[in-house]
Amino acid sequence: MNKTLLRMLSRVVLVIVALTVPMLMPNNYYLGLANLSLIYIIVAIGLNFIYGYTGYISFAQAGFFGIGAYTSALLAVDCHVSFWLTFPLSGLVAALFGVMLGIPALKLSGHYLAMCTIGFGIIVQMILQNWTPVTHGAQGIGGIPKVSVGPVVLGSPTYYYYFLLVFAVLAALFSWTLEHSNMGRSFQAVREDEIAASTSGINLTFTKVFSFALSALFAGLAGSLYAHMSSYISPDTFSFDQSIVFFTMVLVGGAGTVMGPIVGAVLLTFVPELLRFLQEYYMALFGIGICLAMLFMPEGIVRLFGSDGRITNWWTNRVSVKDKGGVQ
């Protein structure tokens, strides 16, 4: 079959599946998981900018997610501001914190940078939990209003699904555009070799700070969408454990690709729920599954598929690299 036709058909099938998800879900609980996966897709795409494209390890994504959620919730509940104003503000506030984190992290790399981002996430959660006069403390924030589009209130999970789908698609399109832009190529050059990128004229300072800001922006916007979907948020939702989950989504799906964060977010949202019938054993099996995925698919699930859409022979590729003297 013609490659172009095959790609077109696969995209049509993907669109049809995305549009019919509310009809395929057995109940509102699973539809709620679908909505949550769309929010996580936006967060994971943001993390992919800094880890997948630029090559910096960051565990601050849950902190940015929480900053966006609390910004939107506090403005909506305490100041009675409309979602259509709190939504962009939540992204901008999170991006500002991304710049604040990116600047002192300029001279850090590897595990030192990872430790810095872990500290940032923990600090954010501690502030959310203990700055009671502003953040409402450990009791969280309730009564967050649902999103309204004109006279229509998106209180139904089905309505909110299509609302979230629009933002998830826009995020994926932005990721694809960035990947093929000069900035995206700058990100990838920095990931491959910072010294070579610098000598070729790429501004390392701007690139690193911009990648942090962009990653935080997407997490902040997703946080706003999450807050208005759940109607209640608390500091426990934005813990370091959640940052690990976001990082795993990108890693399992395929870092540095457009589809990787999407696949990873959907899988890591639904698979744990589908394994709950195993009771106390489900988390152990879930962890084993992730370990096996990293062992046999170290570059992510989506990289199993070649440009022609067929699954590549992973073992053949591995042996070929070994024969050429590649590092295993």
Side-chain angles (χ1 to χ4, degrees), residues 70 73-74 128-129 132 135-144 232-236:
Y70 266 81
L74 289 171
L128 296 179
Q129 187 165 348
T132 305
T135 65
H136 298 205
Q139 67 180 359
I141 304 174
I144 304 171
Y232 170 80
I233 58 173
S234 67
D236 296 340

Side-chain angles (χ1 to χ4, degrees), residues 16-325:
I16 293 174
V17 170
L19 292 175
T20 56
V21 161
M23 292 172 273
L24 300 175
M25 295 295 106
N27 51 51
N28 282 342
Y29 174 74
Y30 286 99
L31 183 54
L33 288 179
N35 290 346
L36 188 62
S37 69
L38 290 175
I39 293 174
Y40 286 169
I41 283 172
I42 300 172
V43 181
I45 287 175
L47 180 58
N48 193 43
F49 294 142
I50 190 169
Y51 174 65
Y53 292 146
T54 316
Y56 296 120
I57 299 175
S58 173
F59 293 105
Q61 205 68 351
F64 297 135
F65 186 51
I67 289 171
Y70 266 81
T71 299
S72 193
L74 289 171
L75 289 173
V77 174
D78 294 347
C79 304
H80 307 288
V81 180
S82 168
F83 164 82
W84 297 104
L85 184 57
T86 65
F87 177 66
L89 285 176
S90 63
L92 292 175
V93 171
L96 177 61
F97 277 91
V99 172
M100 293 170 61
L101 176 62
I103 291 175
L106 288 174
K107 296 183 179 180
L108 301 176
S109 61
H111 57 281
Y112 296 105
L113 178 59
M115 292 297 292
C116 178
T117 59
I118 290 173
F120 172 83
I122 293 174
I123 290 171
V124 169
Q125 187 185 18
M126 293 295 291
I127 291 174
L128 296 179
Q129 187 165 348
N130 295 292
W131 197 11
T132 305
V134 175
T135 65
H136 298 205
Q139 67 180 359
I141 304 174
I144 304 171
K146 297 293 184 181
V147 178
S148 297
V149 181
V152 180
V153 178
L154 303 181
S156 165
T158 300
Y159 290 160
Y160 207 67
Y161 170 84
Y162 290 111
F163 181 72
L164 292 172
L165 182 62
V166 171
F167 288 103
V169 170
L170 289 175
L173 289 175
F174 181 89
S175 177
W176 183 88
T177 302
L178 181 74
E179 182 180 351
H180 296 84
S181 68
N182 290 333
M183 180 54 69
R185 286 185 280 271
S186 296
F187 281 177
Q188 296 170 48
V190 171
R191 178 190 63 197
E192 298 301 325
D193 192 324
E194 286 191 13
I195 297 176
S198 179
T199 56
S200 65
I202 295 175
N203 189 326
L204 294 182
T205 301
F206 175 79
T207 302
K208 178 179 281 191
V209 173
F210 183 71
S211 64
F212 266 101
L214 196 59
S215 176
L217 173 69
F218 274 63
L221 294 175
S224 175
L225 294 170
Y226 174 81
H228 287 273
M229 178 186 76
S230 62
S231 298
Y232 170 80
I233 58 173
S234 67
D236 296 340
T237 308
F238 313 105
S239 64
F240 170 67
D241 293 345
Q242 190 63 51
S243 284
I244 295 293
V245 173
F246 291 146
F247 189 82
T248 307
M249 288 176 179
V250 177
L251 202 61
V252 170
T257 66
V258 176
M259 288 299 299
I262 298 174
V263 173
V266 173
L267 284 178
L268 267 72
T269 302
F270 276 94
V271 170
E273 297 301 325
L274 295 176
L275 293 177
R276 282 191 184 276
F277 72 95
L278 298 173
Q279 298 179 1
E280 66 267 21
Y281 302 105
Y282 92 96
M283 281 305 296
L285 291 177
F286 179 62
I288 292 172
I290 291 178
C291 291
L292 292 175
M294 290 296 93
L295 179 63
F296 294 102
M297 296 175 288
E299 294 186 341
I301 294 174
V302 298
R303 292 197 187 274
L304 284 176
F305 295 86
S307 59
D308 58 355
R310 294 180 299 176
I311 296 181
T312 59
N313 190 321
W314 173 83
W315 180 253
T316 301
N317 292 343
R318 187 177 176 87
V319 172
S320 176
V321 172
K322 185 175 181 181
D323 293 340
K324 293 178 182 179

